[in-house]
Amino acid sequence: MSSNNTNNTKDCPHCNGTGSRPCTSCGHFGMIVVLPTYMLPCSHCNATGYEICPDCNGSGKVKVSRK
């Protein structure tokens, strides 16, 4: 009797299983350049430089499709 694996997931290839990726708004810097001498914290990533991976919604895992 074979057992079925109900957890058919793998590490997300877009974030390498971390659940986050470099922020696309600030380029992983955490700050946005407003003027050459003035910068503001990035509101997209809360100045962390990372955003939640939209491909796995931050879980680090994606479903594996069975054929």
XYZ file of all heavy atoms in Angstrom:
488
model
N 0.846 -1.173 0.000
C 0.000 0.000 0.000
C 0.892 1.236 0.000
O 1.757 1.396 0.838
C -0.898 -0.037 1.235
C -1.867 1.087 1.286
S -2.944 0.806 2.716
C -4.316 1.716 2.185
N 0.699 2.132 -0.940
C 1.513 3.338 -1.008
C 0.783 4.496 -0.345
O -0.433 4.588 -0.372
C 1.833 3.693 -2.463
O 0.652 4.036 -3.141
N 1.568 5.361 0.251
C 0.956 6.514 0.913
C 1.001 7.724 -0.008
O 1.954 7.905 -0.759
C 1.670 6.821 2.225
O 2.999 7.200 1.959
N -0.026 8.529 0.060
C -0.117 9.744 -0.733
C 0.438 10.904 0.068
O 0.094 11.084 1.219
C -1.582 10.046 -1.083
C -1.848 9.885 -2.548
O -0.924 9.757 -3.336
N -3.115 9.875 -2.902
N 1.299 11.707 -0.542
C 1.809 12.892 0.118
C 0.840 14.035 -0.152
O 0.690 14.476 -1.272
C 3.214 13.228 -0.413
C 3.831 14.388 0.323
O 3.253 14.912 1.270
N 5.012 14.785 -0.110
N 0.159 14.491 0.885
C -0.834 15.552 0.702
C -0.199 16.925 0.693
O -0.830 17.894 0.329
C -1.891 15.500 1.828
O -1.227 15.626 3.079
C -2.671 14.208 1.759
N 1.073 17.029 1.091
C 1.775 18.302 1.113
C 2.665 18.399 -0.122
O 3.871 18.232 -0.043
C 2.591 18.424 2.406
C 3.134 19.810 2.591
O 2.753 20.739 1.900
N 4.051 19.935 3.526
N 2.077 18.645 -1.272
C 2.806 18.693 -2.529
C 3.331 20.096 -2.784
O 2.836 20.817 -3.638
C 1.909 18.241 -3.679
C 1.483 16.809 -3.518
O 2.291 15.971 -3.156
N 0.221 16.533 -3.773
N 4.358 20.484 -2.045
C 4.954 21.802 -2.194
C 6.465 21.676 -2.366
O 7.058 20.644 -2.064
C 4.675 22.704 -0.972
O 5.264 22.121 0.179
C 3.192 22.908 -0.758
N 7.047 22.758 -2.861
C 8.498 22.848 -2.978
C 8.894 24.283 -2.663
O 8.044 25.184 -2.599
C 8.963 22.448 -4.375
C 8.505 23.401 -5.471
C 9.080 23.009 -6.796
C 8.681 24.053 -7.866
N 9.318 23.773 -9.138
N 10.177 24.508 -2.459
C 10.660 25.862 -2.212
C 10.328 26.755 -3.403
O 10.472 26.343 -4.555
C 12.170 25.871 -1.988
C 12.564 25.379 -0.612
O 11.676 25.223 0.248
O 13.765 25.159 -0.398
N 9.901 27.961 -3.108
C 9.571 28.922 -4.157
C 10.846 29.274 -4.934
O 11.849 29.679 -4.333
C 8.970 30.180 -3.536
S 8.626 31.482 -4.729
N 10.829 29.126 -6.255
C 12.029 29.425 -7.042
C 12.323 30.923 -7.156
O 13.443 31.310 -7.458
C 11.716 28.818 -8.411
C 10.236 28.811 -8.492
C 9.747 28.606 -7.079
N 11.343 31.761 -6.886
C 11.541 33.203 -7.039
C 12.196 33.838 -5.819
O 12.873 34.860 -5.934
C 10.215 33.887 -7.360
C 9.643 33.417 -8.654
N 8.626 32.493 -8.717
C 9.972 33.706 -9.925
C 8.351 32.253 -9.977
N 9.155 32.965 -10.733
N 12.016 33.245 -4.642
C 12.625 33.787 -3.423
C 13.550 32.762 -2.763
O 14.041 33.000 -1.664
C 11.544 34.246 -2.451
S 10.547 32.901 -1.753
N 13.767 31.636 -3.415
C 14.617 30.559 -2.889
C 14.141 30.038 -1.538
O 14.939 29.670 -0.682
C 16.071 31.012 -2.806
C 16.652 31.305 -4.159
O 16.419 30.569 -5.112
N 17.383 32.396 -4.278
N 12.827 30.062 -1.331
C 12.250 29.503 -0.116
C 12.310 30.415 1.097
O 11.951 30.004 2.189
N 12.731 31.670 0.921
C 12.837 32.578 2.060
C 11.531 33.304 2.365
O 11.331 33.779 3.477
C 13.918 33.642 1.827
O 13.540 34.447 0.706
C 15.277 33.003 1.587
N 10.663 33.451 1.361
C 9.401 34.161 1.548
C 9.514 35.651 1.294
O 8.521 36.367 1.325
N 10.730 36.128 1.062
C 10.917 37.546 0.746
C 11.939 37.683 -0.372
O 12.685 36.750 -0.667
C 11.377 38.321 1.983
O 12.651 37.880 2.403
N 11.942 38.856 -0.962
C 12.903 39.134 -2.022
C 13.269 40.614 -1.973
O 12.581 41.403 -1.317
C 12.344 38.735 -3.380
C 11.139 39.545 -3.806
C 10.640 39.070 -5.130
N 9.650 40.011 -5.657
C 9.067 39.873 -6.804
N 9.339 38.846 -7.565
N 8.185 40.758 -7.218
N 14.329 41.012 -2.644
C 14.705 42.420 -2.627
C 13.562 43.308 -3.123
O 12.857 42.963 -4.062
C 15.905 42.488 -3.578
C 16.498 41.116 -3.520
C 15.317 40.199 -3.364
N 13.378 44.421 -2.446
C 12.295 45.347 -2.779
C 12.488 45.904 -4.184
O 13.571 46.361 -4.539
C 12.259 46.482 -1.759
S 10.967 47.703 -2.088
N 11.431 45.870 -4.968
C 11.491 46.376 -6.337
C 11.342 47.889 -6.393
O 11.675 48.502 -7.402
C 10.404 45.722 -7.206
O 9.134 45.929 -6.588
C 10.642 44.238 -7.362
N 10.874 48.497 -5.319
C 10.695 49.949 -5.309
C 11.985 50.699 -4.978
O 12.269 51.735 -5.554
C 9.607 50.359 -4.325
O 8.354 49.867 -4.752
N 12.736 50.169 -4.039
C 13.949 50.878 -3.600
C 15.234 50.159 -4.002
O 16.324 50.616 -3.670
C 13.918 51.096 -2.096
S 14.046 49.572 -1.117
N 15.105 49.033 -4.699
C 16.293 48.305 -5.125
C 17.092 47.717 -3.978
O 18.315 47.673 -4.032
N 16.396 47.293 -2.920
C 16.992 46.623 -1.767
C 17.749 47.595 -0.867
O 18.471 47.205 0.020
C 17.913 45.481 -2.248
C 18.378 44.591 -1.151
N 19.701 44.463 -0.830
C 17.717 43.786 -0.301
C 19.835 43.612 0.165
N 18.639 43.182 0.498
N 17.600 48.897 -1.078
C 18.325 49.893 -0.295
C 17.559 50.334 0.948
O 18.143 50.734 1.943
C 18.638 51.104 -1.183
C 19.532 52.112 -0.550
C 20.802 51.779 -0.135
C 19.094 53.407 -0.355
C 21.630 52.714 0.458
C 19.907 54.349 0.237
C 21.180 54.005 0.640
N 16.228 50.290 0.886
C 15.409 50.694 2.021
C 15.058 52.174 2.027
O 14.301 52.626 2.876
N 15.641 52.913 1.109
C 15.395 54.353 1.018
C 15.089 54.726 -0.433
O 15.563 54.089 -1.360
C 16.623 55.140 1.485
C 17.056 54.827 2.907
S 15.909 55.383 4.147
C 16.399 57.065 4.338
N 14.286 55.767 -0.600
C 13.947 56.295 -1.921
C 14.600 57.669 -2.059
O 14.448 58.523 -1.178
C 12.417 56.442 -2.094
C 11.726 55.091 -1.905
C 12.063 57.079 -3.415
C 11.925 54.110 -3.008
N 15.310 57.870 -3.152
C 15.935 59.169 -3.404
C 14.878 60.106 -3.966
O 14.284 59.840 -5.003
C 17.114 59.043 -4.381
C 17.702 60.416 -4.696
C 18.167 58.110 -3.821
N 14.611 61.194 -3.252
C 13.628 62.184 -3.682
C 14.337 63.312 -4.424
O 13.918 63.727 -5.491
C 12.842 62.736 -2.470
C 11.825 63.776 -2.914
C 12.158 61.608 -1.724
N 15.398 63.799 -3.847
C 16.273 64.802 -4.444
C 17.704 64.299 -4.290
O 17.965 63.415 -3.478
C 16.120 66.150 -3.716
C 14.724 66.796 -3.772
C 14.666 67.996 -2.839
C 14.387 67.219 -5.186
N 18.639 64.863 -5.028
C 20.019 64.373 -4.893
C 20.543 64.390 -3.451
O 21.402 63.596 -3.097
C 20.813 65.319 -5.776
C 19.830 65.775 -6.795
C 18.507 65.853 -6.084
N 20.012 65.257 -2.624
C 20.484 65.341 -1.239
C 19.425 64.949 -0.212
O 19.630 65.150 0.975
C 20.960 66.768 -0.941
O 19.879 67.662 -1.166
C 22.139 67.145 -1.809
N 18.295 64.387 -0.655
C 17.199 64.083 0.262
C 16.649 62.698 -0.029
O 16.283 62.392 -1.166
C 16.093 65.136 0.123
C 15.033 65.052 1.181
C 15.305 65.354 2.502
C 13.745 64.646 0.852
C 14.335 65.278 3.479
C 12.756 64.567 1.813
C 13.062 64.887 3.122
O 12.089 64.794 4.081
N 16.582 61.869 1.006
C 16.064 60.512 0.856
C 14.984 60.259 1.899
O 15.018 60.805 2.996
C 17.197 59.507 1.017
C 18.229 59.652 -0.067
S 19.745 58.743 0.194
C 19.217 57.138 0.594
N 14.035 59.408 1.528
C 12.946 59.026 2.425
C 12.942 57.512 2.592
O 13.310 56.776 1.676
C 11.592 59.445 1.843
C 11.270 60.929 1.784
C 9.962 61.145 1.042
C 11.192 61.499 3.181
N 12.494 57.021 3.750
C 12.353 55.568 3.918
C 11.350 55.021 2.904
O 10.331 55.642 2.622
C 11.821 55.415 5.341
C 12.126 56.699 6.031
C 12.136 57.748 4.974
N 11.644 53.884 2.357
C 10.756 53.251 1.379
C 9.488 52.775 2.085
O 9.559 51.981 3.036
C 11.461 52.089 0.701
S 10.443 51.209 -0.500
N 8.363 53.255 1.634
C 7.091 52.848 2.243
C 6.621 51.482 1.740
O 5.779 50.850 2.361
C 6.022 53.905 1.977
O 5.800 54.042 0.589
N 7.179 51.037 0.624
C 6.774 49.743 0.075
C 7.284 48.585 0.937
O 6.587 47.601 1.157
C 7.279 49.614 -1.366
C 6.807 48.396 -2.072
N 5.545 48.278 -2.592
C 7.422 47.225 -2.335
C 5.407 47.100 -3.143
N 6.534 46.430 -2.999
N 8.513 48.729 1.440
C 9.114 47.652 2.236
C 9.344 48.063 3.691
O 9.993 47.335 4.438
C 10.436 47.228 1.617
S 11.731 48.488 1.690
N 8.803 49.213 4.083
C 8.999 49.741 5.436
C 10.483 49.898 5.780
O 10.916 49.612 6.892
C 8.296 48.884 6.487
C 6.799 48.950 6.340
O 6.237 50.007 6.092
N 6.144 47.813 6.470
N 11.251 50.314 4.784
C 12.683 50.598 4.918
C 13.525 49.371 5.272
O 14.645 49.498 5.750
C 12.917 51.715 5.929
N 13.021 48.171 5.015
C 13.785 46.959 5.303
C 14.642 46.530 4.118
O 15.607 45.796 4.287
C 12.862 45.783 5.660
O 12.036 45.482 4.531
C 12.015 46.102 6.873
N 14.242 46.951 2.910
C 14.946 46.522 1.709
C 14.397 45.231 1.126
O 14.829 44.781 0.083
N 13.434 44.624 1.835
C 12.831 43.373 1.371
C 11.319 43.509 1.307
O 10.723 44.235 2.092
C 13.163 42.214 2.321
C 14.604 41.822 2.302
C 15.501 42.360 3.215
C 15.077 40.914 1.370
C 16.843 42.005 3.195
C 16.409 40.550 1.347
C 17.286 41.097 2.255
O 18.595 40.747 2.234
N 10.721 42.799 0.364
C 9.267 42.751 0.253
C 8.826 41.302 0.289
O 9.610 40.393 0.024
C 8.795 43.427 -1.030
C 9.281 42.751 -2.300
C 8.900 43.486 -3.571
O 8.282 44.554 -3.491
O 9.227 42.981 -4.650
N 7.576 41.078 0.629
C 7.021 39.724 0.631
C 6.965 39.217 -0.807
O 6.534 39.931 -1.709
C 5.619 39.719 1.261
C 5.722 40.058 2.751
C 4.933 38.366 1.075
C 4.395 40.255 3.426
N 7.407 38.022 -1.013
C 7.402 37.428 -2.352
C 5.964 37.257 -2.825
O 5.173 36.571 -2.167
C 8.117 36.086 -2.326
S 8.124 35.239 -3.929
N 5.605 37.867 -3.958
C 4.228 37.743 -4.433
C 3.905 36.366 -5.030
O 2.741 36.006 -5.161
C 4.126 38.829 -5.497
C 5.513 39.020 -5.988
C 6.403 38.757 -4.803
N 4.927 35.597 -5.349
C 4.687 34.289 -5.958
C 4.269 33.237 -4.933
O 3.510 32.335 -5.248
C 5.931 33.833 -6.715
C 6.271 34.782 -7.858
O 5.421 34.954 -8.743
O 7.363 35.372 -7.833
N 4.764 33.368 -3.692
C 4.402 32.398 -2.650
C 3.683 33.059 -1.477
O 3.397 32.409 -0.481
C 5.644 31.674 -2.155
S 6.818 32.735 -1.282
N 3.404 34.348 -1.593
C 2.743 35.128 -0.538
C 3.479 35.067 0.795
O 2.871 35.052 1.861
C 1.288 34.694 -0.361
C 0.458 35.033 -1.567
O 0.597 36.108 -2.132
N -0.392 34.115 -1.984
N 4.803 34.976 0.727
C 5.606 35.001 1.937
C 5.805 33.665 2.619
O 6.499 33.578 3.618
N 5.210 32.612 2.085
C 5.342 31.299 2.746
C 6.656 30.602 2.408
O 7.095 29.721 3.147
C 4.179 30.387 2.327
O 4.316 29.991 0.973
N 7.260 30.967 1.287
C 8.490 30.297 0.860
C 8.235 29.001 0.127
O 9.167 28.342 -0.308
N 6.957 28.617 -0.002
C 6.607 27.351 -0.662
C 5.587 27.608 -1.779
O 4.759 28.498 -1.682
C 5.983 26.369 0.336
C 6.869 26.003 1.493
C 7.971 25.104 1.043
C 8.823 24.644 2.228
N 9.984 23.899 1.810
N 5.670 26.819 -2.817
C 4.689 26.857 -3.898
C 4.200 25.430 -4.138
O 4.886 24.455 -3.845
C 5.277 27.427 -5.211
C 5.571 28.910 -5.078
C 6.522 26.688 -5.650
N 2.989 25.331 -4.632
C 2.404 24.020 -4.914
C 3.045 23.419 -6.152
O 3.360 24.103 -7.110
C 0.899 24.144 -5.132
C 0.133 24.445 -3.880
C -1.345 24.463 -4.127
C -2.079 24.784 -2.835
N -3.522 24.816 -3.048
N 3.200 22.116 -6.101
C 3.726 21.361 -7.237
C 2.540 20.791 -7.989
O 1.696 20.117 -7.395
C 4.660 20.230 -6.764
C 5.136 19.400 -7.948
C 5.813 20.784 -5.973
N 2.461 21.080 -9.270
C 1.345 20.547 -10.054
C 1.666 19.119 -10.479
O 2.768 18.800 -10.885
C 1.079 21.416 -11.275
O 2.226 21.484 -12.090
N 0.671 18.275 -10.323
C 0.825 16.861 -10.697
C 0.249 16.664 -12.092
O -0.798 17.190 -12.424
C 0.110 15.963 -9.709
C 0.691 16.062 -8.325
C -0.063 15.167 -7.436
N 0.841 14.109 -6.997
C 0.489 13.096 -6.267
N -0.759 12.946 -5.915
N 1.365 12.198 -5.890
N 0.948 15.841 -12.851
C 0.472 15.553 -14.213
C 0.046 14.124 -14.333
O 0.437 13.259 -13.653
C 1.566 15.857 -15.229
C 1.853 17.315 -15.291
C 2.879 17.577 -16.354
C 3.124 19.079 -16.419
N 4.008 19.426 -17.478
